[in-house]
Amino acid sequence: MKKVCIVGAGLVGSLLSVYLSKRGYQVDVFEKRSDMRKAGFIGGRSINLALSDRGWRALKGVGLDDKIAELGLPLSGRMIHDMQSNTNFQPYGKEGQAIYSISRGQLNLELVNATEPDPLVQYYFDQQCMNVNIDEGTIQFRNRQTNEIKDYQYDLIFGADGAYSAVRSTLQKSGRFNYEQFYLEHGYKELTIPAAADGSHQISKEALHIWPRKRFMLIALPNLDGSFTCTLFIDFEGPNSFEKLQSKEEVETFFNHYFPDVVPLIPNLAEDYFEFPESSLVTIKCSPWNKGNVILLGDASHAIVPFYGQGMNSGFEDCTILNELIDEYKEDWSKIPSAFSDTRKPNADAISDLAMRNFIEMRDSVADEQFLLRKAVEKQMTKHFPDDYMPLYSMVTFSQKPYSEALNTGKKQDILFKEILSIDNIEQMVEEGIAPLQLKEWINKVDEINL
C-alpha cells in the first residue's frame, strides 16, 4: 500500500485525497489552518467560484457531482450593468450551457467530509510545513498549537498548498527549478449584497453580474441564501484606486458615481467596504512540477488570476489528468511525476495567459460595440454550424479541449475576426442574417491561419 502525504486541505488537496483513497492508498492530509469543520469558513479573501465542465468532470470521476450540484446556482450568462443602470444580458454559450456559482467554503467542507469515515484518509490541522527532504522522502511539520516539530516518511508527497506553497519553496532551493511570479497592479475586495426581506435575490440569480468600468470593475455571484458575493477589482494606486478610498465619504461618492444601481442593494456599503482587507492578485509559473516523488499541483504549481473562472477548474483537472496517468503508467511512480509535469505545464501556462486576456475583456470589452458585434457573428456561426465552430470561451468553459489548443485556436479566431469586422457593411449583414455559405467560408479559414 502506497503511503501518501498531501500538503494542503484546500479544494485540490481534499479532492486529490478522494481520488487516491479510492485507489487504496493511505493518505495523510496536512493543513496549516485550523479544522474548518470546527472553526467555520472565514470570508473576506475568497472570490466565489465558477464551477464549469472541467471541474464537473473531476467531481464526477469520484462520484461527487450530484452532491456538489446541490450547493450551486446555474448561471447562463453575464449581465452587464452600465453607468446609467441599464443592463444587457450576454449568454455564455448554447442554450442549456451554464457555469455554477458556488461558495468556496461550502465546497471545501464537502470535499473534506467526502472521505469521512474512510480509514485510509486522515486529516491533520494546524500543521505548518517546515521542510521537505526530496532524496529521503521525508517531510517536517510544526504543530501550531504545541510548537512540536515532527518528521514523517512517505512514498509520495503532493504539494497542494496554494500560491505561497511551502513545498514549492523547498523545490526552488533544490537547483534547476524555474520560478516566476507576477502581481497585477489591481487588487480585490469582497462585498455582499444581502438577500431581500423575503429571502429572495435582489437581482437576477441566473447571471454573473459585471459592472465594467475600463480600468476597474465590480462583479457579483449569487449564493443559495439569496445574497450575492461581490468583488471589486481595482488598482492599488492611481486616480481610481484603493488608495483613494480611505474614508466613508470617498467610498460613497465613488460608488454613487460608478455603480449607482449597486448602492441601494447594500444598506451599509461604507461599513462593509472597510470590514475586509484588500487582497492581491498573483500569477505563478514554475517548472518542473516534480522532483523525485515530490509533486506540485493546483495553485502551488500554476496560480492564476480569477478572470476566466478556471483556477479551481484547472486544479481539479490536475486531479483528473493525474488519475489518468496513474492508469496509463500502471502505477509506475518512477514515470508518473515527470509525465504529469510535462503534460500539464503547457496547458497551465495557456490558461494563465487566457485569464489575463479575459480580464481585459471583462473590464473593457463586454460593453464595446466591436466586441458585441463579434458575439453576434459568432452566435450565427454556432447556430448554423454548431459542430464546426466553437467560441474561445466555450472551448475553455464547456469542453475538455486542452487549454493550449484552445488558446491557439482563439488566436486564429482573433485574426479571422479582425478581417470580418473590417467589412464595411458587416453591421447590416448581421442584422439581416449572414448567409450560411458565407459563415461556413469564414469558419473554414480558421484552420488555414498560421500563427
Side-chain angles (χ1 to χ4, degrees), residues 136-153:
E136 296 182 7
T138 61
I139 186 166
Q140 185 179 83
F141 290 96
R142 178 181 71 87
N143 186 308
R144 297 174 66 231
Q145 298 293 328
T146 65
N147 280 324
E148 177 187 7
I149 295 176
K150 190 175 179 180
D151 293 308
Y152 301 83
Q153 180 93 40

Side-chain angles (χ1 to χ4, degrees), residues 269-392:
L269 175 61
E271 290 81 358
D272 289 354
Y273 179 88
F274 292 109
E275 182 177 355
F276 295 118
E278 298 95 23
S279 298
S280 58
L281 295 162
V282 66
T283 295
I284 288 172
K285 298 179 180 180
C286 66
S287 66
W289 290 7
N290 72 291
K291 285 289 185 78
N293 281 350
V294 179
I295 305 160
L296 302 175
L297 72 168
D299 283 356
S301 54
H302 56 94
I304 63 175
V305 292
F307 305 113
Y308 228 118
Q310 289 295 305
M312 170 195 62
N313 291 291
S314 63
F316 280 7
E317 190 173 57
D318 287 347
C319 297
T320 304
I321 299 301
L322 179 64
N323 189 57
E324 292 174 347
L325 290 170
I326 296 173
D327 286 335
E328 181 180 342
Y329 287 94
K330 297 179 173 57
E331 304 205 29
D332 184 350
W333 284 97
S334 67
K335 299 177 180 177
I336 294 168
S338 58
F340 176 67
S341 178
D342 293 343
T343 299
R344 288 301 284 162
K345 168 67 175 170
N347 292 304
D349 288 350
I351 190 55
S352 176
D353 295 342
L354 284 162
M356 285 301 302
R357 169 185 171 133
N358 212 45
F359 179 36
I360 306 301
E361 178 175 309
M362 289 176 72
R363 77 179 193 197
D364 295 357
S365 304
V366 290
D368 180 78
E369 290 184 3
Q370 288 289 96
F371 174 83
L372 297 174
L373 187 58
R374 171 172 173 167
K375 287 295 182 185
V377 176
E378 288 190 314
K379 184 176 181 180
Q380 295 188 27
M381 287 177 167
T382 55
K383 176 184 177 181
H384 290 285
F385 303 99
D387 297 329
D388 297 325
Y389 186 85
M390 182 178 289
L392 176 59

